[in-house]
Amino acid sequence: MTSSLLRSEDGEPENAPDEHALLLGVLSTLVESLGQALPATSELLLHDLSKLPNSIVAIHGDVTHREVGDPATDLLLAAAARGDFQTRIGYETKLADGRQMKSSTVIVRDSHGDAVAAVCVNSDQSVWVELNRLAGRMLAPQDSASGPRVDERASEVSEEIFASDVDELALHLIEKATAMSGIPIELMRKKHKIEIVRELSNGGFFMLKGAADKAASALQVSRFTIYNYLNEISDADEAAAGDEEETA
């Protein structure tokens, strides 16, 4: 009895379900079912990495107040720009309103090793931080002048932007890049603006819709000038790569 599946030139069934679609379908189901097992202070969400920047395709919980169709964080966007998706477990982050969170990002890959999706868990730690503070005060010796010891590492958190739309994410990325220069826009020279454009590019900013216009407005130049800066950056990087090959 012969198989009814038609085979492509590489031997794969032509009518076999798309692997990425299968993975995303299974993961979407898991987000809903496993999300119900998490406490109300946690959220579970799924990013379809082929849809960046607006990559959220499933979410359960409301810690970061995002919805399906909202954008990825700046860290995930930067990873996409580098082509270097990595799983990160239990890193600390902070929301714009000051709430402390613990987050994990698991990268899901297909059978070829290509990154397909990111499954993320964000847990609001504010309640536990406050309980820990109160417990420390209750358990500290009454005659202790210094009070309970504080682990300084607890204040080390990743800067991650949980934007609810692309415009908000773009604004944060621009503010972050311009703040790093330490120079007011009005006093910037061309070299300063090129470095800001480089920083934005490295962070995946130009994957966002209307990015060139937003950068041009922020840097007080034309969109054509932004494209020129990007070309100069690309040429400089290619030249640097060539010099490294010659010296290797």
Side-chain angles (χ1 to χ4, degrees):
M1 181 176 177
T2 59
S3 172
S4 61
L5 290 177
L6 297 176
R7 300 280 171 173
S8 61
E9 292 181 358
D10 59 4
E12 290 294 325
E14 289 185 352
N15 56 342
D18 178 75
E19 183 182 5
H20 290 198
L22 278 174
L23 283 171
L24 287 162
V26 171
L27 292 170
S28 295
T29 301
L30 287 175
V31 165
E32 180 60 31
S33 56
L34 293 179
Q36 295 179 22
L38 294 175
T41 53
S42 295
E43 71 177 12
L44 180 63
L45 64 151
L46 173 66
H47 292 274
D48 179 349
L49 299 181
S50 71
K51 294 185 176 181
L52 286 167
N54 295 85
S55 55
I56 297 179
V57 293
I59 186 167
H60 189 283
D62 191 33
V63 174
T64 60
H65 308 315
R66 291 179 295 166
E67 301 175 347
V68 169
D70 283 346
T73 67
D74 59 320
L75 295 187
L76 195 57
L77 199 65
R82 298 193 305 270
D84 182 28
F85 292 107
Q86 298 291 334
T87 291
R88 299 179 64 195
I89 304 296
Y91 60 97
E92 294 185 359
T93 54
K94 183 179 290 187
L95 289 168
D97 59 13
R99 284 180 292 154
Q100 296 183 27
M101 292 202 308
K102 183 161 288 187
S103 301
S104 293
T105 299
V106 177
I107 301 300
V108 179
R109 300 180 183 275
D110 63 15
S111 58
H112 300 288
D114 297 326
V116 174
V119 179
C120 304
V121 180
N122 298 310
S123 298
D124 187 348
Q125 301 290 294
S126 301
V127 173
W128 307 112
V129 169
E130 180 63 15
L131 285 174
N132 183 61
R133 185 185 68 83
L134 292 174
R137 295 178 65 177
M138 291 291 292
L139 297 175
Q142 294 298 317
D143 59 349
S144 173
S146 59
R149 294 180 62 184
V150 176
D151 186 352
E152 294 181 355
R153 292 174 297 178
S155 62
E156 298 177 2
V157 298
S158 298
E159 293 184 4
E160 189 167 15
I161 299 167
F162 298 90
S164 59
D165 58 58
V166 169
D167 288 339
E168 181 185 352
L169 179 58
L171 178 61
H172 279 293
L173 290 173
I174 290 172
E175 289 178 346
K176 182 179 179 181
T178 53
M180 289 177 63
S181 71
I183 303 172
I185 299 294
E186 297 76 13
L187 300 180
M188 285 184 182
R189 302 176 65 180
K190 177 182 176 181
K191 64 178 181 179
H192 302 130
K193 295 183 179 183
I194 286 180
E195 284 308 306
I196 288 176
V197 171
R198 178 187 290 276
E199 182 68 22
L200 290 172
S201 179
N202 290 342
F205 175 82
F206 291 100
M207 296 172 64
L208 305 179
K209 183 178 181 180
D213 287 327
K214 290 179 174 65
S217 177
L219 295 178
Q220 299 177 9
V221 297
S222 68
R223 180 173 60 176
F224 181 75
T225 299
I226 295 296
Y227 289 136
N228 281 341
Y229 288 169
L230 287 169
N231 288 334
E232 289 186 36
I233 291 168
S234 178
D235 291 342
D237 289 346
E238 289 180 5
D243 291 341
E244 289 181 1
E245 290 180 358
E246 291 180 0
T247 57

